[in-house]
Amino acid sequence: MPPVTRKCFADSSITPKICKMLRFTPDKNGDIDEIGTIITPPNINRYNVAFGETPTSFSVAEGSFTENLPQTSRKPLGRFLSFDVKRSLFSSTKRPADEQTTLEESPATKRLKEAEDAIKAITLNTQSDTSRRENIKTMVQRLSTDNDVIADGSRLYTLPTITGKHSDLKSISPDTMNDVISGCYDDEVEKVTIIDCRYPYEYEGGHIKGAINLYTHTAVKDFLIKHSMEQGSSKKHILIFHCEFSSERGPKMYRHLRSEDRNLNKECYPRLNFPEIYLLDSGYKAFYYKHLSLCSPQAYKPMLHKDHSADLRHFRAKSKSWTAGDRSSSSSRITLKF
């Protein structure tokens, strides 16, 4: 069979466009004259309007023929488009959305996604006891090995932390506290509560602006219960504890609130009302000497102040009674993550 030659239309401006889109694939047993009906574009009247004439002249091999083809005999052009042409026209170098997402996921993002899935699975009422235990085990393992996520595993810590005196607690520097009060994290944090755990005479003698004074276990627990109805793990309400040096009273109250929070939400672990808590490193004293203007009144009264020796004995005696009931059960408590 002689080679097929493409004869394009009289108007040379449309020649490259039409010829590139057509592939001539006549049946090997068919008559060569039938090729006219194969390559004739549909709705030929379009070309009459656009180019002023009807393309009906074609050349096959060395011969030529002219034919006025009826509209109804013309077959759809799309059936004869080259596969390669279709691919070049409609393909794209852009990666699929799911592939791009996979490539852009960082290890931390993947861990958070896994944690979110585990949290959702734990809170579903329809899951079996076996599945629930497995999900809890997974979350305990993750929280005990990943220090980048907050205590319910739902997201990363918002504030930059430092290595403080207490390895089980997240500590921030006085400068970070200054940034928080100055509003540097307002776009990331919905609410901040600073909890001053010093005795009342210390607090009244000078404290960080906006701080509240909670110095007993009962006061801390009441604060937790009060906010439990309006608080949730998804809301960014962070707490910052401190005392004079953040070496004893502040850390104790921090741990006490976390313990009570875990107990309050024991049926839906790892949910917490306050999953993101920090400790002000070196306490009020360090902050006072670096950021005096953010203290009210602008003064610092130490715990061992000579004018408050009687107050000190009173609050120390109370503190012994506060912890007396906790010592017997402290050995049986399981620390999950603070």
Side-chain angles (χ1 to χ4, degrees):
M1 177 178 178
V4 177
T5 303
R6 300 177 183 177
K7 177 70 174 179
C8 298
F9 307 136
D11 192 332
S12 60
S13 65
I14 66 170
T15 298
K17 300 178 183 177
I18 301 300
C19 291
K20 286 182 181 179
M21 295 178 64
L22 299 177
R23 167 178 288 182
F24 303 98
T25 55
D27 190 285
K28 65 180 180 180
N29 297 323
D31 190 280
I32 192 67
D33 291 337
E34 295 177 358
I35 194 169
T37 60
I38 296 175
I39 65 174
T40 303
N43 302 326
I44 202 165
N45 289 334
R46 292 183 306 169
Y47 299 98
N48 295 346
V49 176
F51 306 111
E53 62 177 332
T54 301
T56 57
S57 298
F58 303 93
S59 175
V60 180
E62 297 178 354
S64 62
F65 64 93
T66 302
E67 182 179 357
N68 293 325
L69 300 174
Q71 297 289 336
T72 56
S73 67
R74 298 180 181 104
K75 299 181 181 180
L77 178 62
R79 293 177 53 192
F80 307 104
L81 286 178
S82 165
F83 174 77
D84 293 335
V85 172
K86 287 182 179 180
R87 183 173 62 182
S88 65
L89 287 173
F90 302 107
S91 63
S92 174
T93 56
K94 187 176 179 180
R95 294 187 179 93
D98 55 347
E99 183 180 347
Q100 284 186 323
T101 302
T102 303
L103 292 174
E104 293 172 0
E105 283 184 349
S106 65
T109 303
K110 290 180 179 178
R111 291 199 305 270
L112 286 177
K113 187 176 180 181
E114 292 173 358
E116 288 175 359
D117 292 340
I119 292 171
K120 290 177 181 178
I122 291 169
T123 55
L124 288 177
N125 296 327
T126 57
Q127 68 174 167
S128 64
D129 291 339
T130 303
S131 299
R132 181 178 175 79
R133 284 194 295 268
E134 287 300 317
N135 285 321
I136 289 176
K137 180 190 273 187
T138 300
M139 285 303 301
V140 170
Q141 177 66 21
R142 181 171 291 110
L143 292 174
S144 62
T145 57
D146 194 342
N147 292 323
D148 295 329
V149 296
I150 61 176
D152 66 355
S154 63
R155 61 177 182 265
L156 299 176
Y157 278 95
T158 306
L159 306 181
T161 60
I162 61 175
T163 303
K165 302 173 184 177
H166 304 269
S167 59
D168 60 323
L169 309 179
K170 288 293 181 180
S171 298
I172 62 171
S173 67
D175 290 334
T176 298
M177 174 70 92
N178 172 66
D179 292 340
V180 170
I181 299 172
S182 302
C184 296
Y185 294 93
D186 286 355
D187 292 339
E188 302 175 63
V189 178
E190 294 183 43
K191 186 176 181 180
V192 178
T193 300
I194 303 170
I195 300 178
D196 189 332
C197 302
R198 297 176 301 159
Y199 300 140
Y201 66 88
E202 298 173 83
Y203 175 83
E204 292 167 3
H207 59 268
I208 299 173
K209 289 181 178 180
I212 60 174
N213 188 209
L214 303 178
Y215 60 95
T216 68
H217 286 185
T218 302
V220 168
K221 186 175 181 179
D222 290 344
F223 171 84
L224 172 64
I225 294 174
K226 178 182 177 181
H227 291 82
S228 62
M229 299 303 294
E230 62 187 53
Q231 193 65 28
S233 297
S234 61
K235 186 176 181 180
K236 279 195 173 183
H237 181 176
I238 67 174
L239 306 181
I240 304 175
F241 283 81
H242 77 86
C243 56
E244 185 176 3
F245 308 108
S246 290
S247 58
E248 184 177 356
R249 291 173 290 175
K252 276 184 178 180
M253 294 303 173
Y254 182 146
R255 294 187 181 99
H256 179 65
L257 184 136
R258 175 54 49 76
S259 177
E260 293 293 337
D261 204 350
R262 285 289 187 207
N263 186 59
L264 191 64
N265 293 282
K266 61 184 178 182
E267 298 300 327
C268 49
Y269 177 85
R271 185 191 182 280
L272 288 167
N273 292 308
F274 294 101
E276 189 168 1
I277 308 178
Y278 300 91
L279 180 71
L280 174 61
D281 188 61
S282 300
Y284 178 78
K285 181 179 181 179
F287 183 84
Y288 169 79
Y289 284 115
K290 293 196 72 173
H291 304 285
L292 173 64
S293 62
L294 294 178
C295 298
S296 177
Q298 295 182 2
Y300 162 47
K301 184 172 289 187
M303 182 182 70
L304 300 177
H305 195 279
K306 61 180 182 178
D307 295 337
H308 294 275
S309 56
D311 293 327
L312 176 59
R313 287 194 297 271
H314 169 74
F315 289 113
R316 272 187 169 171
K318 274 194 170 184
S319 65
K320 291 180 180 179
S321 64
W322 295 335
T323 58
D326 295 334
R327 291 175 182 173
S328 60
S329 59
S330 60
S331 59
S332 61
R333 289 183 179 176
I334 299 175
T335 301
L336 297 175
K337 182 179 177 180
F338 290 97

